[in-house]
Amino acid sequence: NLTLVLSLNNIKSIEPGAFAGIHLAELALRSAFESSMMQTSLQGLAGLQVSRLIVGVFNDQDRQQDFERGLLDGLCQVQMEEFVLICLGDFEDGTDTLFNCIGNVSTIRLVDLGLKQVSQVPVGSKVKQLECKKCGFDDVPALKLSLFKELRVLRITKNRSLKTFEQKFEGLSNLEVIDLSENRLTFSGCCSRQFRNCSNLKHLNLSFNSYIRLTGDFINAENLLYLDFQHTTLFGPGTYPVFLSLQRLIYLDISHTKTEVKSQCTFCGLNS
């Protein structure tokens, strides 16, 4: 259960095989490498088994490392349960190697990155939990994310540039939780058309966004238990029964949504 923190060092290189056969609970490598030495040094982690690996830097002033093709190739020989990539600068146009060596990691957290689009997803990916926090998305990258067939929990939060939801999630039969809170989303047609064949979806958080228009169509999300719209301006609730098909819902938050209840059947269907 040893945690090894090598952050805030000036590592010039890691000797190949230095971590072979070592088991760690956590290894932290934030602001740990000389500029441009991260890719070479990560190759020295081959043979490591670690529950959580944290790679990146600490703040904007220290953000000298951009994401280049093949940056994480050294992690192909590392066994880990959770990978955290934090506070990197710009991503090259071709970021198709981002998931090459971490596609079988159970939990991935991408935090404060200059990531504007999702890379190619390896066939047979085993990722179950994915978080993209403070990234650079303009549109919810549902098309690429739908290739993570084992995905159970998805969180895309605090993306200031994320305003549209044009793409659709499709075929994620294991997906239970989607958190899209604290973005600047504006979209209509919520919420069936955004989630096709995602029959196991139980938790949907769209709070602290801009404007969402509800149509009452939740056919692809009828198993929802938790639905949160707080602090997002809503159109639809209060005038007609938009929640009619959510028979299993046990938590609904429409506080601070500028909803004015005009219809007696505003909450019809919410039998749970």
Side-chain angles (χ1 to χ4, degrees):
N1 294 323
L2 179 66
T3 293
L4 179 59
V5 179
L6 296 177
S7 301
L8 295 173
N9 275 288
N10 194 26
I11 298 173
K12 295 178 173 62
S13 66
I14 297 177
E15 183 178 344
F19 283 87
I22 293 179
H23 298 250
L24 295 174
E26 181 176 306
L27 174 60
L29 293 166
R30 294 183 66 181
S31 301
F33 304 106
E34 278 195 354
S35 180
S36 76
M37 295 306 298
M38 180 183 292
Q39 182 172 352
T40 303
S41 297
L42 290 179
Q43 294 174 358
L45 299 181
L48 170 67
Q49 295 184 40
V50 59
S51 296
R52 177 188 294 146
L53 175 62
I54 305 173
V55 174
V57 298
F58 272 104
N59 52 48
D60 288 332
Q61 288 71 36
D62 195 28
R63 197 183 301 220
Q64 300 175 359
Q65 177 69 58
D66 291 339
F67 188 94
E68 302 170 351
R69 182 177 294 274
L71 179 67
L72 304 180
D73 283 359
L75 301 184
C76 283
Q77 305 301 320
V78 176
Q79 295 183 38
M80 51 187 161
E81 298 175 12
E82 179 179 349
F83 177 65
V84 182
L85 185 63
I86 185 167
C87 207
L88 291 192
D90 294 332
F91 276 58
E92 290 183 349
D93 290 338
T95 60
D96 293 342
T97 63
L98 174 58
F99 292 106
N100 279 12
C101 290
I102 59 174
N104 289 324
V105 178
S106 179
T107 300
I108 297 176
R109 298 184 63 228
L110 307 174
V111 182
D112 202 2
L113 305 181
L115 181 65
K116 296 182 179 180
Q117 59 184 0
V118 174
S119 310
Q120 294 295 329
V121 177
V123 176
S125 169
K126 301 299 182 184
V127 177
K128 292 181 173 59
Q129 297 189 47
L130 176 61
E131 178 181 2
C132 303
K133 180 180 180 181
K134 294 184 179 180
C135 292
F137 302 135
D138 295 322
D139 186 19
V140 178
L143 193 61
K144 285 287 183 67
L145 294 177
S146 293
L147 298 176
F148 287 104
K149 296 303 182 183
E150 299 294 321
L151 201 61
R152 296 180 181 177
V153 178
L154 173 63
R155 304 186 190 279
I156 304 177
T157 61
K158 298 186 177 182
N159 293 267
R160 294 182 178 179
S161 60
L162 185 55
K163 298 180 180 180
T164 61
F165 195 167
E166 298 294 333
Q167 301 179 32
K168 302 173 181 61
F169 291 100
E170 187 162 1
L172 293 176
S173 58
N174 295 308
L175 188 63
E176 296 184 8
V177 178
I178 290 187
D179 184 352
L180 296 173
S181 62
E182 297 185 75
N183 299 301
R184 296 182 178 180
L185 287 172
T186 296
F187 65 99
S188 60
C190 182
C191 288
S192 187
R193 75 178 190 87
Q194 285 82 16
F195 307 102
R196 294 182 176 176
N197 299 319
C198 301
S199 57
N200 208 33
L201 186 61
K202 294 182 173 65
H203 296 250
L204 178 58
N205 188 348
L206 289 164
S207 62
F208 293 91
N209 278 286
S210 296
Y211 304 93
I212 296 176
R213 182 177 294 276
L214 302 182
T215 62
D217 182 3
F218 286 92
I219 292 176
N220 291 325
E222 289 181 337
N223 291 320
L224 277 176
L225 301 177
Y226 176 104
L227 183 58
D228 192 349
F229 288 113
Q230 62 176 303
H231 292 274
T232 298
T233 300
L234 295 181
F235 297 93
T239 56
Y240 55 95
V242 296
F243 306 115
L244 195 59
S245 62
L246 297 179
Q247 303 286 329
R248 300 183 180 182
L249 199 70
I250 58 176
Y251 178 90
L252 172 65
D253 194 335
I254 55 172
S255 60
H256 305 282
T257 59
K258 299 182 180 179
T259 297
E260 183 178 353
V261 178
K262 298 179 180 179
S263 168
Q264 293 183 348
C265 209
T266 296
F267 301 107
C268 287
L270 299 178
N271 300 323
S272 296

